[in-house]
Amino acid sequence: MTSDATAFDASTPLARELADLSQRRRQLATREYPLPSSPRVLTVANQKGGVGKTTTTVNLAAALARNGARVLVIDLDPQGNASTALGVEHRGEQQSVYDVLIRDEPMVDVVQQSPESENLFCLPATIHLAGAEIELVPMVAREQRLRGALDRYLAAMDEAGTPFHYVLIDCPPSLGLLTINAFVAAREVLIPIQCEYYALEGLSQLLNNIGLIERHLNPTLAVSTILLTMYDGRTRLAFQVAEDVRAHFPAETLRAVIPRSVRISEAPSYGQTVISFDPSSPGSVSYLEAAAEIADRGAPRGN
Ligand SMILES: Nc1ncnc2c1ncn2[C@@H]1O[C@H](COP(=O)(O)OP(=O)(O)OP(=O)(O)O)[C@@H](O)[C@H]1O
Ligand SMILES: [Mg+2]
């Protein structure tokens, strides 16, 4: 039997899905991923837990790296999930983003290459970062610590002839000083929204906070991208949530939607992203499509 989906009876939903997937894969093969002229720094944030922030950060980063961009992931969550997914060492004694924020350690000494790709790098998080939320409070310029370190690092990499194209910052599910540092370091915010009933709850609080940061700490910050995640095409609810989000944020919401997929959730346990773990799976194809759209759109405000 041939594995070509078009050879199946096209009247069944599974056959249609498979045919659609192979068509999307063919389209991706010729798709361009234009590189930005200066590094785009995106913070992936949503104070709701478990909506797909980390999954989105590492898979978009891997998708962009696979298509020629040099990408840095900053793991700003003490859980260290992004570091795990990128196969990067982050045991307690390892130097980490904590040392950069609290001890002024230069990023160049802490950033590690991910085994996933020679274009993909990670500033890892260890459990020490949990204390940083408190330790930052009395520090001078406590909201700007990440920004300062990142600006110095990006300038040094540019000078060395190895410039970065994208920096993706994975935030913890809270709006504390770590997340504020991420908002101050970034120009763009990417909000993953889980396609479920409570999806929009808390979003106005997040947008208010981003507005506050924009007014007081980082006038160039803007929500550039919204990505619908964990979409279950069998439920009417997921469809309605997606429609709702698109109605509210027509310009920001990506056309690509990330399906709920077991392969996506399995990949981190192998220290991999779904892009390398199962490149032709629906989850991987969807993240590659989302990354292509992000690359196409460029930065807001003509960056
Ligand atoms: N598209 C998907 N399909 C199936 N499972 C997914 C998908 N996206 C994420 N998951 C799983 O859902 C869980 C939460 O995802 P993830 O860790 O990315 O969310 P998060 O927003 O970073 O969570 P936290 O707020 O704890 O940092 C994980 O177990 C992840 O593997
Ligand atoms: Mg996370």
Side-chain angles (χ1 to χ4, degrees):
M1 192 194 283
T2 167
S3 64
D4 185 358
T6 52
F8 286 103
D9 174 4
S11 62
T12 71
L14 178 64
R16 275 199 299 276
E17 218 169 276
L18 287 172
D20 179 47
L21 186 64
S22 47
Q23 191 193 355
R24 286 163 62 199
R25 281 208 301 261
R26 276 197 300 277
Q27 278 168 355
L28 270 175
T30 56
R31 194 132 179 204
E32 301 270 334
Y33 285 67
L35 295 174
S37 52
S38 57
R40 287 175 62 186
V41 184
L42 294 96
T43 282
V44 180
N46 189 332
Q47 79 278 23
K48 270 176 93 77
V51 297
K53 291 180 289 295
T54 303
T55 306
T56 293
T57 304
V58 300
N59 287 301
L60 285 179
L64 290 164
R66 192 190 173 97
N67 286 283
R70 268 171 62 84
V71 186
L72 171 67
V73 169
I74 297 180
D75 189 350
L76 212 53
D77 187 339
Q79 297 177 101
N81 295 154
S83 311
T84 305
L86 293 174
V88 162
E89 192 62 65
H90 64 111
R91 281 179 297 212
E93 67 278 13
Q94 189 78 32
Q95 287 222 315
S96 72
V97 66
Y98 172 88
D99 301 278
V100 172
L101 288 172
I102 306 293
R103 301 203 174 119
D104 279 325
E105 201 64 49
M107 271 176 60
V108 70
D109 294 334
V110 187
V111 167
Q112 297 180 45
Q113 190 174 45
S114 164
E116 181 100 0
S117 156
E118 59 178 16
N119 280 342
L120 185 52
F121 297 80
C122 177
L123 177 58
T126 66
I127 193 66
H128 291 308
L129 191 58
E133 202 76 76
I134 308 284
E135 288 176 63
L136 277 168
V137 173
M139 290 185 111
V140 176
R142 60 188 181 181
E143 298 97 350
Q144 335 267 350
R145 312 248 344 147
L146 184 63
R147 168 112 199 201
L150 180 61
D151 284 352
R152 285 189 290 278
Y153 179 67
L154 291 177
M157 289 295 111
D158 194 38
E159 230 163 78
T162 49
F164 275 97
H165 300 106
Y166 294 94
V167 179
L168 272 63
I169 309 175
D170 184 31
C171 285
S174 60
L175 291 168
L177 271 173
L178 288 172
T179 300
I180 291 174
N181 264 272
F183 284 147
V184 173
R187 297 280 301 262
E188 302 178 52
V189 184
L190 187 161
I191 306 177
I193 294 185
Q194 190 181 348
C195 295
E196 52 121 86
Y197 183 65
Y198 296 111
L200 296 176
E201 228 169 63
L203 197 58
S204 58
Q205 194 197 349
L206 177 62
L207 295 175
N208 278 343
N209 279 298
I210 294 169
L212 281 173
I213 305 276
E214 191 188 344
R215 279 197 293 288
H216 298 289
L217 292 165
N218 180 6
T220 60
L221 190 69
V223 175
S224 67
T225 313
I226 291 179
L227 178 60
L228 297 163
T229 63
M230 298 191 222
Y231 186 85
D232 184 344
R234 294 165 305 181
T235 70
R236 172 122 196 102
L237 179 62
F239 178 79
Q240 272 167 355
V241 171
E243 290 280 281
D244 240 27
V245 172
R246 284 190 198 286
H248 279 92
F249 306 99
E252 294 83 0
T253 310
L254 297 181
R255 283 191 305 277
V257 170
I258 309 303
R260 190 172 275 288
S261 138
V262 175
R263 303 301 271 169
I264 290 179
S265 58
E266 281 173 346
S269 60
Y270 297 86
Q272 278 182 283
T273 68
V274 78
I275 308 295
S276 62
F277 179 63
D278 193 352
S280 56
S281 64
S284 170
V285 168
S286 300
Y287 270 118
L288 285 161
E289 289 170 340
E293 265 185 82
I294 289 171
D296 264 345
R297 290 168 159 219
R301 299 174 191 170
N303 183 24

